[in-house]
């Protein structure tokens, strides 16, 4: 989420699953930077899609907040 371009998928591939994360436009909420994202995971051929928002802590760690 830190460096991804808004609207551009970042693909990943694991042993038994694969997927992509599409970050949205970053914004500031209080003293944290946040951004919405869409995470698609493929287990077999069926996708599971989640929409959420993550915020970055002052230590640089991103955590989902919704």
């Amino acid at each position: 989420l830190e460096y991804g371009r808004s609207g551009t998928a970042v693909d990943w591939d694991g042993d038994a699953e694969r997927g992509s994360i599409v970050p949205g436009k970053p914004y500031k909420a209080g003293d944290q930077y946040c951004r919405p994202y869409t995470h698609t995971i493929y287990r077999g051929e069926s996708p599971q899609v989640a929409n959420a928002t993550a915020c970055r802590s002052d230590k640089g760690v991103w955590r989902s907040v919704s």
Side-chain angles (χ1 to χ4, degrees):
L1 289 173
E2 185 74 24
Y3 302 109
R5 290 183 66 182
S6 297
T8 301
V10 177
D11 296 329
W12 59 271
D13 196 2
D15 291 334
E17 52 197 25
R18 61 186 168 81
S20 64
I21 297 175
V22 180
K25 184 178 177 181
Y27 62 92
K28 193 159 185 182
D31 60 348
Q32 292 185 319
Y33 285 96
C34 301
R35 67 191 312 181
Y37 65 93
T38 300
H39 190 183
T40 303
I41 300 173
Y42 289 89
R43 291 183 176 100
E45 293 301 315
S46 59
Q48 295 178 350
V49 179
N51 294 300
T53 298
C55 294
R56 185 180 66 201
S57 73
D58 58 352
K59 296 183 192 232
V61 177
W62 288 91
R63 298 201 190 279
S64 288
V65 295
S66 67

